[in-house]
Amino acid sequence: MLTWKDMETLYERLEADDCIGVYIEIKQYAQHYLKDRQECQKAVEILDQMLSVMDPCICVSEWMHGSLFTLWKTISWTYIHDMIQQLDDAFPHVAFAFGICYPKAQEELSTLFYKCQLAAIKSKDHAKYTTSYELYDQLLENRLLQAVSIQEMVEKAMAKGNLRVFIQPKVDLATQTICGGEALLRLYHENQWLPLSEWMKEIQRNSFIRQTDVYVLHQLFHMFALCQKQQFPLLPISVNVSEATLENAQEYLMEVKKLTKASALSSKLLEFEISEDILSKDNQALSDFLTVLHQEGYPIAMDDFGSGSASLTTLPHLPFTSIKLDRSFFPQPANEKNNLMLQSSIRMLKQCGYSIVAEGVEDECYLPLLKEAHCDQIQGHYYYQAMPMSEYLQLLRSWV
């Protein structure tokens, strides 16, 4: 195996048509597969052995955090497919990701490595627990350029104040008064508000959403300071925590604690929402994150309840204080079976001690059902749409 410097020296002597770059990594697979670390080590050893005797393999890098970068002579897809099939047959519990790229003339080795790595991790089959391979092509490059463009757009919007935090008020069903809200991001670009579908998924994919999650926190504490200054009611606001942020939870928690301490406000004013979809994954980091929040006194809500695949058996083991019913509970038009399921779900969750928020309510027909089932709060267009912070403050002012 060669060091990176040795590979660069060798690569400089090769013509672009003489080789291809191949990035190989051991996938992150299901937790119960990870238990058999001996199996993983055997897979690494057999891969090393295969590469050492393969005629097309020119050189192999040193192992780097569970991955290899190799240079091969130009070979057929049939050869690659056969090799992958051999790996799958030999080690059904260990999955590899292959990213392959043909170098361009005068292209640096670092660029070739990046393209190969991108092809491996951007493969449509990368999330599957099987060995996968992907060729870097122009379409993938275009997607990469689009992703970079979207991130740059969001960064500029954040710097110019065009990435706005809107608040959608929540209404107490018993008193019919505003009792809090949820912070939601909106992006203003070229004189229009861009739909979330045009940018949100991309910043989730490339993890830039970690920065926007922190940005939301700062905007909220600025709003809380204005409420204090103007002597407006201080009502709790909930924020969404992305999966990418949970992967870097310690830094996010430090920011939360720092802002709370500096404001001298109660931790009860900031609620954290975790989507049901995230809970469906076996994630110790998530459990640790929720435990710390609970210990610090922050309310925690399960978001989109009923939309994902999280089991009800996970609820008692996590410190949720409230449950937000997904908008799928409120179809148009309403139907009797759905209404029965809605009321039964609320009653069951209330018996377990959770506060219940009905999200996405747009029709008055659901109000009697929700009242009868003792739902606590409603968040939906029937009462209020998401609004700029300035409008939300005006709404609070009317209470003073």
Side-chain angles (χ1 to χ4, degrees):
M1 291 189 180
L2 301 181
T3 64
W4 184 261
K5 187 175 181 179
D6 291 336
M7 286 192 78
E8 283 184 315
T9 302
L10 177 59
Y11 178 69
E12 288 171 1
R13 296 201 300 265
L14 297 170
E15 297 292 334
D17 294 339
D18 290 342
C19 69
I20 58 174
V22 182
Y23 172 86
I24 311 169
E25 73 169 11
I26 300 176
K27 287 188 180 181
Q28 297 295 314
Y29 27 77
Q31 197 67 31
H32 57 282
Y33 289 158
L34 279 172
K35 291 176 183 176
D36 193 351
R37 299 190 181 278
Q38 287 186 338
E39 183 95 2
C40 296
Q41 185 58 38
K42 288 178 184 177
V44 168
E45 291 172 2
I46 198 68
L47 180 61
D48 286 343
Q49 293 168 12
M50 290 179 69
L51 291 172
S52 67
V53 299
M54 281 172 52
D55 182 59
C57 189
I58 299 172
C59 64
V60 181
S61 72
E62 295 176 322
W63 277 95
M64 301 173 290
H65 307 293
S67 66
L68 282 173
F69 181 55
T70 64
L71 293 177
W72 293 3
K73 298 173 187 175
T74 303
I75 56 175
S76 68
W77 280 102
T78 302
Y79 187 98
I80 295 172
H81 177 78
D82 290 346
M83 183 183 128
I84 289 171
Q85 190 61 53
Q86 290 178 48
L87 280 170
D88 273 346
D89 291 344
F91 296 97
H93 290 172
V94 181
F96 293 95
F98 287 73
I100 303 154
C101 182
Y102 292 86
K104 295 179 179 179
Q106 307 300 316
E107 186 168 63
E108 293 184 0
L109 186 63
S110 58
T111 302
L112 180 63
F113 167 79
Y114 177 72
K115 288 181 176 180
C116 291
Q117 184 184 49
L118 184 70
I121 64 178
K122 292 297 184 183
S123 167
K124 63 182 183 298
D125 295 326
H126 188 262
K128 296 180 180 178
Y129 301 149
T130 56
T131 294
S132 59
Y133 59 95
E134 187 73 41
L135 175 68
Y136 186 94
D137 59 12
Q138 190 61 48
L139 180 60
L140 187 62
E141 188 165 350
N142 290 342
R143 280 165 46 197
L144 173 62
L145 292 173
Q146 182 186 27
V148 171
S149 175
I150 289 174
Q151 179 172 324
E152 288 178 349
M153 176 183 68
V154 176
E155 284 183 292
K156 289 178 181 177
M158 193 186 303
K160 294 180 179 179
N162 289 331
L163 186 65
R164 311 276 179 82
V165 177
F166 278 37
I167 306 294
Q168 185 172 29
K170 298 174 186 176
V171 173
D172 185 293
L173 193 54
T175 64
Q176 294 292 295
T177 57
I178 296 173
C179 57
E182 178 183 359
L184 301 165
L185 276 175
R186 297 292 184 264
L187 180 61
Y188 193 70
H189 180 68
E190 294 183 349
N191 301 317
Q192 62 177 330
W193 294 103
L194 291 188
L196 287 175
S197 59
E198 292 188 13
W199 58 279
M200 180 56 76
K201 284 186 178 179
E202 195 55 59
I203 67 169
Q204 289 174 335
R205 268 195 291 264
N206 64 16
S207 298
F208 184 72
I209 197 167
R210 291 174 182 168
Q211 295 186 42
T212 61
D213 282 353
V214 173
Y215 174 81
V216 170
L217 289 177
H218 282 263
Q219 295 297 305
L220 283 183
F221 277 94
H222 176 69
M223 187 189 76
F224 288 148
L226 289 176
C227 287
Q228 285 182 305
K229 185 176 180 180
Q230 300 294 329
Q231 296 186 331
F232 294 163
L234 276 171
L235 302 178
I237 302 293
S238 60
V239 296
N240 293 283
V241 183
S242 66
E243 189 170 2
T245 289
L246 289 171
E247 293 170 358
N248 197 29
Q250 290 303 315
E251 287 189 21
Y252 184 74
L253 280 169
M254 286 174 60
E255 197 68 23
V256 169
K257 293 177 183 178
K258 183 180 76 173
L259 290 168
T260 304
K261 184 177 180 179
S263 68
L265 293 172
S266 169
S267 56
K268 301 295 183 185
L269 287 174
L270 192 61
E271 181 181 52
F272 294 88
E273 295 188 10
I274 310 295
S275 74
E276 182 183 7
D277 188 52
I278 293 176
L279 293 174
S280 65
K281 303 171 184 177
D282 187 4
N283 192 332
Q284 185 60 44
L286 170 63
S287 179
D288 295 343
F289 174 75
L290 296 182
T291 299
V292 173
L293 288 178
H294 179 67
Q295 290 171 346
E296 296 289 334
Y298 295 98
I300 310 168
M302 176 192 279
D303 195 15
D304 304 324
F305 178 82
S307 68
S309 55
S311 168
L312 284 173
T313 58
T314 63
L315 272 177
H317 304 290
L318 295 170
F320 289 107
T321 51
S322 65
I323 305 293
K324 295 188 74 173
L325 302 177
D326 185 69
R327 60 184 66 250
S328 59
F329 277 102
F330 310 103
Q332 298 293 336
N335 64 76
E336 186 176 350
K337 284 186 178 180
N338 186 82
N339 291 345
L340 287 171
M341 291 180 65
L342 171 63
Q343 289 188 305
S344 297
S345 297
I346 293 174
R347 286 170 179 150
M348 175 193 68
L349 293 167
K350 290 286 289 184
Q351 286 178 342
C352 294
Y354 299 110
S355 175
I356 308 300
V357 181
E359 187 174 23
V361 178
E362 299 181 5
D363 196 312
E364 187 178 10
C365 71
Y366 286 106
L367 297 188
L369 293 170
L370 292 169
K371 286 180 180 178
E372 185 180 344
H374 302 291
C375 178
D376 298 288
Q377 300 172 13
I378 290 181
Q379 178 186 339
H381 290 182
Y382 176 74
Y383 286 105
Y384 297 101
Q385 295 188 23
M387 60 186 69
M389 278 187 173
S390 57
E391 291 184 22
Y392 177 72
L393 291 174
Q394 288 290 340
L395 199 59
L396 295 182
R397 178 178 292 177
S398 65
W399 288 22
V400 179

